[in-house]
Amino acid sequence: MKLNRFVFLVSLSFLFILTSCSTPVSDTMHAENTTKTAKNIIFMIGDGMSYAQIEGTENAIGKQLEMRKLPVSGTITTHSADKRITDSGAGGTALATGFKTNNGMISMKADSTAVPSILELFAEDGKQTAIVVSCGITHATPASFVAKDINRNNYEAIAKDFAESEKLNYFIGGARKHFVKREDNRNLLEEMTARGWQFFDVLEDAQFNASTNVALFMADEHPVSVIDGRSDFLAKGTAKLLETMSRQAENGFFMMVEGSQIDWAGHANDSAYLVAEMIDFDNAAKAAVDFAKKDGETLVVITADHETGGLTIINGNENDYSSVRFNFSTGNHTSVTVPVFAFGPGSENFTGVYDNTEIFYKILNASGKE
Ligand SMILES: [Zn+2]
């Protein structure tokens, strides 16, 4: 069932509750943000998520999202090298590599020079690496961390880059078909198995140990939406991999988690779809922050590649400001700024207004790498 729009009442008393419960969490969090460097990094991207997606979801569910409770926040600009409005290829590339590129390109500069991603740089330092997404693993955002391509739609070439990467230890997502039903007739899963990868379809079945790389394919194509029955693998897979890597990764780890379908809900101007995907992503954020609070050496950075849908929150009825509802202004991406939330060692560097390419350097800096 999909509602085309949410109309909900927000009472003044609820707004007071929302404001007052945002403070106590931060005090204890600040105490942990000393001058230590971050051994572990959890980088979370809500595709198509800006302020209205967050506030609209909070209105709909009547409570503050976990990401908004973090003690540090900032704002980033998202334009690409060639367009005022970015796509997820150039947006993902900016976040993953620190370089602006043209729309549609993956982990390459605008002149088509391939550049290393932050995941690859951390792998070279001996950190374990993982990606968990609610779309096909070959889609633009995850691809920006592992593959290099002038065209984000070259899914089979991107799958080959995943298969041949020596920098990725674990991934969870969809798009099995790009690994096995290929024009070149290669079976990348067989090739990966020969190189020590193990594959599972169900999170509960997956065995994680230090000697093998592990991938979970949740779908042949893209995993379905939450509303259409997708499991909570984004949060559970995040928690499972954090637990696994905290045991095994002596030099720490880098993990990227994407709430991929927030963007698709924005394209569809579908507020029920949007709220469900935002909650799913925020549950993963909670798993990440819960881990980081206990661990003390983990930086969590939550941001977005761009806004989708031109969403605003407007009055629910003519001249009645006591109720609000979603109002989408486009079926495409927009140029508006998006938020950054951070917690853990080095998180204090994520305040202010800056460009999306700076996130890359801020994370490296927090880890003591630059
Ligand atoms: Zn999009």
Side-chain angles (χ1 to χ4, degrees):
M1 182 194 68
K2 287 187 187 177
L3 300 171
N4 275 330
R5 65 181 199 184
F6 263 74
V7 179
F8 37 80
L9 290 167
V10 182
S11 70
L12 274 179
S13 59
F14 165 64
L15 281 178
F16 282 124
I17 293 165
L18 202 61
T19 328
S20 60
C21 67
S22 63
T23 38
V25 191
S26 320
D27 295 339
T28 46
M29 286 182 171
H30 274 304
E32 293 167 24
N33 295 349
T34 58
T35 51
K36 290 192 287 207
T37 55
K39 179 182 176 190
N40 309 312
I41 312 290
I42 309 170
F43 188 22
M44 307 193 65
I45 301 172
D47 198 309
M49 177 186 81
S50 190
Y51 298 94
Q53 282 75 7
I54 293 168
E55 189 177 320
T57 302
E58 289 179 339
N59 288 337
I61 64 176
K63 63 176 188 178
Q64 193 177 31
L65 290 176
E66 294 296 323
M67 65 180 89
R68 271 242 267 222
K69 296 177 185 171
L70 299 193
V72 174
S73 63
T75 298
I76 53 170
T77 51
T78 66
H79 59 279
S80 67
D82 65 335
K83 295 282 193 314
R84 276 302 313 161
I85 298 176
T86 190
D87 80 318
S88 292
T93 298
L95 296 171
T97 72
F99 285 102
K100 290 285 188 200
T101 194
N102 296 338
N103 281 8
M105 293 173 76
I106 297 292
S107 209
M108 282 182 173
K109 292 196 276 184
D111 66 2
S112 305
T113 317
V115 283
S117 76
I118 197 163
L119 178 149
E120 294 167 319
L121 293 176
F122 279 133
E124 283 167 16
D125 283 351
K127 289 195 193 300
Q128 287 209 319
T129 61
I131 294 181
V132 186
V133 296
S134 47
C135 62
I137 195 72
T138 49
H139 210 239
T141 309
S144 300
F145 288 81
V146 177
K148 319 284 167 199
D149 211 294
I150 53 163
N151 185 343
R152 59 178 283 179
N153 297 318
N154 288 337
Y155 291 121
E156 293 188 5
I158 288 168
K160 186 170 82 62
D161 285 354
F162 270 84
E164 293 175 353
S165 171
E166 308 213 319
K167 310 282 167 64
L168 183 62
N169 297 108
Y170 305 103
F171 68 84
I172 303 177
R176 185 196 286 105
K177 71 171 185 182
H178 297 312
F179 291 75
V180 291
K181 290 173 206 147
R182 301 170 51 84
E183 281 191 11
D184 62 9
N185 290 321
R186 281 171 68 176
N187 184 326
L188 299 181
L189 299 195
E190 281 175 9
E191 293 178 23
M192 291 167 80
T193 303
R195 290 185 24 242
W197 279 83
Q198 282 193 298
F199 297 95
F200 298 91
D201 302 324
V202 179
L203 188 61
E204 287 69 26
D205 294 346
Q207 306 286 327
F208 295 95
N209 60 65
S211 58
T212 53
N213 293 336
V214 177
L216 273 120
F217 278 110
M218 312 310 291
D220 244 9
E221 304 195 7
H222 292 303
V224 296
S225 66
V226 168
I227 286 179
D228 287 340
R230 189 173 80 238
S231 75
D232 53 356
F233 73 78
L234 199 73
K236 283 201 175 137
T238 297
K240 181 86 181 165
L241 284 173
L242 289 173
E243 185 266 319
T244 301
M245 292 192 291
S246 67
R247 269 190 290 115
Q248 297 175 2
E250 278 173 27
N251 296 317
F253 58 80
F254 173 87
M255 179 176 198
M256 193 284 280
V257 181
E258 185 196 31
S260 318
Q261 298 198 27
I262 298 165
D263 173 63
W264 304 351
H267 283 292
N269 285 191
D270 185 330
S271 50
Y273 185 4
L274 177 65
V275 167
E277 296 298 331
M278 282 293 298
I279 294 169
D280 185 65
F281 181 57
D282 198 56
N283 288 339
K286 182 174 187 329
V289 173
D290 285 350
F291 173 86
K293 278 189 204 165
K294 271 191 241 148
D295 181 68
E297 292 184 290
T298 299
L299 170 67
V300 182
V301 177
I302 305 174
T303 188
D305 49 357
H306 54 75
E307 196 271 352
T308 306
L311 181 62
T312 49
I313 308 299
I314 64 169
N315 54 331
N317 298 302
E318 265 325 276
N319 303 321
D320 177 5
Y321 290 176
S322 65
S323 69
V324 289
R325 66 176 173 85
F326 288 97
N327 185 56
F328 293 98
S329 61
T330 175
N332 289 318
H333 301 176
T334 70
S335 70
V336 300
T337 54
V338 297
V340 183
F341 305 105
F343 170 73
S347 60
E348 60 278 4
N349 298 324
F350 289 83
T351 56
V353 181
Y354 46 97
D355 188 58
N356 58 1
T357 48
E358 288 187 43
I359 295 260
F360 170 89
Y361 298 100
K362 288 177 188 292
I363 291 176
L364 288 185
N365 191 274
S367 76
K369 198 166 162 62
E370 260 188 15

